[in-house]
Amino acid sequence: MHGNQWVRAILRSAVLLLAATALLGVLYPLAVCAVATAAFPAQATGSLIAVDGVTYGSALVGQPFREPGHLWGRPTVADASTFTTEDGERLLWYGPENLSPASDEFAERVAARVEAVRAAHPDQGDTPVPSELVTVSGSGFDPHISPAAAEYQVGRVAVACGRTEEEVRAIIRQCTERPLLGAIGEARVNVLKVNLMLDGIL
Amino acid sequence: MSAEVSAALFTAAAYGALLVACAVPLSGYLVNVMEGRQARARRIVGPVERGAFRLLRVNPDDSMGWKRYLVCVVAFTGVSIAGLFVLLVAQGALPANPEGFGGLPADTALNMAVSFATNTDWQAVAGESHLSYLSQAAGLAVQNFLSPAVGIAVAFALMRGLWSAGDGRLGNFFADVVRVTLCVLLPLSLVLSIALASQGVPQTFQGYETVQLLEPVAVDEAGTVVAADDPAAVEEVTEAVVPLGPQASQVAIKQLGTNGGGFNGANSASALENPTPLANLLECLAILLLPFTLILSFGRMVADRRQGRALLACVLILLAAGTAVLVGAEFQATPQLSQDGAVYTGSLSQAAGNMEGKECRIGTAGSAIWTAFTTAAANGSTNASLEGLTPIGTLVPLVFMGLGEVVGGGAGTGLAALVGFAVLTVFIASLMVGRTPEYLGKKIGPTEMRAAVVMVTAPALVILLAAAGLCLAPAGAVPVGEGGPAGFAEVLYAAVSAGANNGSALAGLDADAPLVNIVLAGAMVAGRLIPVACALGLAGSLARREPVAAGPGSLSTASPLFVFLLLMIIVLVGALTLLPALALGPLAEQLGTLA
């Protein structure tokens, strides 16, 4: 093996890396940007829900809900230490729980969540609490809950926001997406959309 | 078996069938591209390809010997690490940084540069909160193209060595990398990224969006969310952030190139990276598409397609076994979750089983299948929190990675490892019946055996050394999330993930500690370059051997018997190296839940 063989290989590698960076690191994402913003403008910019100039969130990012008149989502592990606005105002962001579901700490947290959920839903009595109301999702900001988890809350939400249970169910149905071809993925309720409709915003 | 488990296994089988159906035609195309005889693609990308060859001053017909090929791989990997390191350290002073992120500390940047250049994509820090758009698109995403291209180039060098007529030549490294990138990786990524954007994966260069929270939350001094009436509450937070950026273009190649490093820390569990069941299906299939394609290309390259099918059969058996165990485990809720029946974990109007760490739209089945696929291939992207898996669920990814990238594995490197195991199997099987070992008409001598044995055992050695190193570190240097067997599992998982170039993680371990960064960077380089060097050495040695005609006593390497033997050897080597470590981690934890 000769020294100049290494030098040539390194020089060629550097040229290849630079050319690849221009093509794959600049032109490729810009081309996808151009196509995506032209063909799917809402999706390509974060599926934001804006009404009368106020952006209430993204349909793909869940928010913490605990008011009785709102549908509750998955428990979130939120913090306001990661992001701030330009003027230093704190912004909320999320992370996963990262606990083994076989650990004692996990058992304690779930027990506390079950207790809190049951206390807020006296109408449900001893009905088992749907699992998604007491488990944190993989991202920590799951925008959805299952139809079972939504149905569990209907009584409480209806009383708190002065609607009939049927009205609440109708809103939930409007915000429910079905699995692909009836088999792939799960049926899911978009929690933010339901709450915007309950509040009369959407 | 419950109805949900059977339905999930049926889905997994359908995924497998779909993958094979796509890999068959793609493997023919790939071989034509790499051998420089694809007329249709050439008409479109031909001018670009010729321009690239002129720019690089490369003659694609200048076929290299194994040492020169290896020099090119090492040089290119080194230059890639250096380039990415500089970009990450300097990102604060560079454009396309709307959030104004500063440069990464040197140890983090080194870990990340090594990680992406070796096709591992282990991420010490979350992308959305540490990396500028430039670092993501022009740094990480570029390596997401080039590192699998290097792997595929090495695989083709190995295949040429097996099939050459004795001239010792393995092809031209730079021509291989350019061809596979332009004709295969780029077109596939373009199609997938636009499909993903249609489903809701963001693709924009505008900065992050700030949105109004419907319910403001109270936080304490440190920014942790507390109850509104908590005395520690100091501030009300009324707005949240929505990270955007050129995500679709990066997620596509992250999935296709067995990379796995997400734009966001939550990877494809984030609904921004993986918004719908259709997106999840496409991303999940993309994980194993190239590994399967390469295995079938092997049959075409050695002019006997049964050889590729035999290797694929072996991979499919291992994949099916692991997927079945993982799916079965995740549909079982742990006692800690079910709380004596207070929590409903059945399947009526919801996903059944262990939904901790899983997303509602994807469900238990979708998460379990993905997790099996992503660790079978050396991809490492996740659509659930792996820390949230049941202990037996954690075992499957560990075994898949610990087997040494053979169940699909990394783009190219997976095939190379599989061929290494095949050579080892041929040797052992031939000795048992007292014949001279030969594979595909080439005699297997001491040189080939040395290369094959080092290739199949090096990743395990690297893994165990890295795990031992992290365990011997002084207290506090390795910040694990949990104590006891679960903590050991986190450390072991990190070492396995780095050594096997996978990149997935049990995220309870706070991976951004200097010692962890440096030990894992070393493991990633060794886990990448040692097997690559062995594969090229094996190829070079085989390429100099004259092919011999198969006689009546030759062992058929396309028969079910050979597939069985190969399986046994893979399982035996994997079990012997990793079983003791696994017993201390996930197995001990699972037994603990029963106590």
Side-chain angles (χ1 to χ4, degrees):
Chain A
M1 238 173 283
H2 311 293
N4 64 352
Q5 194 177 338
W6 278 99
V7 173
R8 261 190 319 214
I10 289 170
L11 285 178
R12 280 210 177 108
S13 298
V15 175
L16 177 56
L17 182 63
L18 286 175
T21 304
L23 176 68
L24 309 168
V26 180
L27 284 180
Y28 160 68
L30 285 176
V32 178
C33 245
V35 176
T37 23
F40 322 104
Q43 289 91 326
T45 49
S47 309
L48 300 170
I49 304 175
V51 183
D52 298 333
V54 182
T55 309
Y56 288 97
S58 161
L60 300 176
V61 179
Q63 293 181 10
F65 294 108
R66 277 298 169 265
E67 282 173 15
H70 279 154
L71 192 68
W72 298 357
R74 308 282 298 264
T76 51
V77 182
D79 81 84
S81 56
T82 313
F83 291 101
T84 53
T85 59
E86 275 162 28
D87 13 310
E89 210 183 312
R90 286 174 157 172
L91 296 172
L92 205 63
W93 186 232
Y94 314 88
E97 184 168 47
N98 284 330
L99 267 185
S100 162
S103 65
D104 295 340
E105 194 186 344
F106 177 78
E108 284 162 27
R109 284 200 203 179
V110 173
R113 288 181 197 138
V114 169
E115 199 180 323
V117 169
R118 284 200 160 158
H121 298 86
D123 59 316
Q124 289 289 353
D126 282 341
T127 317
V129 179
S131 62
E132 286 175 26
L133 290 178
V134 295
T135 51
V136 177
S137 79
S139 59
F141 55 89
D142 195 338
H144 303 108
I145 53 173
S146 64
E151 176 60 32
Y152 183 90
Q153 304 177 54
V154 166
R156 183 206 80 226
V157 173
V159 170
C161 68
R163 293 172 190 256
T164 67
E165 293 196 358
E166 269 324 297
E167 284 170 352
V168 174
R169 284 202 185 93
I171 288 177
I172 290 174
R173 262 198 304 279
Q174 277 188 59
C175 302
T176 303
E177 292 161 88
R178 312 303 311 176
L180 179 66
L181 305 174
I184 298 168
E186 305 288 334
R188 57 213 183 273
V189 180
N190 192 300
V191 181
L192 177 61
K193 282 187 188 164
V194 169
N195 289 334
L196 286 170
M197 290 174 93
L198 286 171
D199 287 3
I201 296 172
L202 204 66
Chain B
M1 202 191 297
S2 68
E4 308 88 69
V5 176
S6 351
L9 292 180
F10 180 77
T11 310
Y15 279 25
L18 212 56
L19 273 169
V20 174
C22 296
V24 170
L26 193 58
S27 67
Y29 173 73
L30 176 65
V31 167
N32 282 338
V33 163
M34 297 305 278
E35 295 301 274
R37 51 170 196 247
Q38 180 59 30
R40 211 175 311 161
R42 187 104 321 128
R43 238 174 297 163
I44 307 167
V45 296
V48 186
E49 191 187 282
R50 276 193 299 277
F53 291 156
R54 260 201 307 278
L55 185 70
L56 293 169
R57 299 192 190 172
V58 160
N59 170 9
D61 300 323
D62 171 24
S63 194
M64 299 175 173
W66 79 271
K67 282 184 186 157
R68 207 173 134 215
Y69 208 101
L70 178 61
V71 165
C72 292
V73 173
V74 174
F76 188 68
T77 307
V79 167
S80 295
I81 292 172
L84 187 49
F85 177 81
V86 170
L87 185 60
L88 293 174
V89 169
Q91 67 170 4
L94 296 170
N97 186 8
E99 303 311 306
F101 294 123
L104 293 185
D107 62 304
T108 314
L110 175 71
N111 181 286
M112 231 176 200
V114 168
S115 164
F116 278 76
T118 57
N119 198 236
T120 309
D121 288 34
W122 170 270
Q123 285 167 300
V125 293
E128 80 273 22
S129 53
H130 291 85
L131 298 177
S132 71
Y133 289 171
L134 186 76
S135 296
Q136 298 261 27
L140 306 191
V142 170
Q143 285 307 320
N144 279 353
F145 278 100
L146 295 176
S147 62
V150 169
I152 294 171
V154 169
F156 271 85
L158 176 57
M159 291 190 267
R160 292 185 191 118
L162 273 164
W163 191 242
S164 83
D167 64 355
R169 298 283 149 185
L170 302 179
N172 187 291
F173 170 77
F174 290 102
D176 285 345
V177 169
V178 167
R179 279 177 172 155
V180 73
T181 307
L182 284 181
C183 300
V184 181
L185 299 177
L186 186 55
L188 283 175
S189 302
L190 274 170
V191 173
L192 183 59
S193 55
I194 289 165
L196 291 178
S198 81
Q199 295 299 299
V201 183
Q203 179 71 16
T204 170
F205 278 90
Q206 283 162 21
Y208 295 177
E209 192 73 32
T210 301
V211 300
Q212 198 71 42
L213 282 171
L214 223 46
E215 292 183 18
V217 293
V219 295
D220 64 12
E221 199 65 54
T224 313
V225 175
V226 293
D229 52 2
D230 193 305
V234 293
E235 199 181 327
E236 191 177 61
V237 174
T238 58
E239 292 178 317
V241 71
V242 176
L244 299 173
Q247 301 198 14
S249 56
Q250 188 165 337
V251 172
I253 186 60
K254 156 197 119 180
Q255 294 303 108
L256 283 164
T258 65
N259 293 292
F263 194 96
N264 302 288
N267 213 296
S268 283
S270 158
L272 291 166
E273 281 198 35
N274 186 7
T276 61
L278 178 60
N280 189 65
L281 170 69
L282 294 174
E283 290 183 22
C284 191
L285 293 179
I287 292 173
L288 277 169
L289 180 62
L290 279 179
F292 278 19
T293 299
L294 275 152
I295 294 172
L296 291 177
S297 305
F298 178 76
R300 293 179 191 264
M301 281 295 283
V302 299
D304 180 1
R305 291 216 220 160
R306 294 174 311 148
Q307 304 292 341
R309 284 184 213 139
L311 296 184
L312 187 62
C314 179
V315 166
L316 285 174
I317 292 169
L318 285 168
L319 182 65
T323 309
V325 172
L326 188 53
V327 166
E330 291 309 303
F331 272 106
Q332 297 286 323
T334 59
Q336 286 84 348
L337 172 59
S338 57
Q339 305 268 332
D340 294 323
V343 175
Y344 177 64
T345 56
S347 65
L348 204 63
S349 297
Q350 68 166 20
N354 174 31
M355 277 301 282
E356 171 65 13
K358 296 187 182 62
E359 298 280 310
C360 175
R361 66 193 177 283
I362 300 165
T364 318
S367 301
I369 294 170
W370 177 302
T371 304
F373 280 19
T374 195
T375 48
N379 186 296
S381 65
T382 54
N383 71 352
S385 156
L386 298 191
E387 190 89 41
L389 293 177
T390 60
I392 293 299
T394 318
L395 194 64
V396 173
L398 273 170
V399 170
F400 270 166
M401 294 187 291
L403 289 178
E405 286 207 290
V406 286
V407 195
T413 48
L415 175 64
L418 202 53
V419 170
F421 271 105
V423 168
L424 187 60
T425 307
V426 164
F427 180 75
I428 291 173
S430 302
L431 286 196
M432 282 195 287
V433 291
R435 294 188 192 284
T436 317
E438 56 189 63
Y439 187 44
L440 304 171
K442 298 265 177 138
K443 280 206 162 53
I444 305 294
T447 323
E448 287 83 1
M449 278 319 297
R450 269 195 291 273
V453 167
V454 175
M455 179 157 62
V456 301
T457 50
L461 190 66
V462 169
I463 287 165
L464 293 177
L465 283 176
L470 291 175
C471 287
L472 289 173
V478 180
V480 289
E482 299 180 64
F488 178 72
E490 287 170 8
V491 170
L492 178 68
Y493 198 103
V496 171
S497 181
N501 289 168
N502 182 281
S504 62
L506 289 185
L509 171 72
D510 177 8
D512 190 24
L515 180 80
V516 180
N517 273 335
I518 288 163
V519 169
L520 294 184
M524 288 187 277
V525 170
R528 170 83 164 179
L529 289 182
I530 296 174
V532 162
C534 294
L536 289 173
L538 176 65
S541 175
L542 287 169
R544 281 193 299 273
R545 288 188 186 273
E546 296 286 342
V548 291
S554 299
L555 174 75
S556 163
T557 50
S559 63
L561 175 68
F562 182 78
V563 172
F564 174 75
L565 287 173
L566 179 57
L567 263 178
M568 288 298 112
I569 299 286
I570 290 172
V571 171
L572 209 63
V573 170
L576 286 177
T577 44
L578 287 173
L579 206 55
L582 292 178
L584 290 174
L587 287 178
E589 200 191 349
Q590 178 76 21
L591 292 175
T593 66
L594 305 175

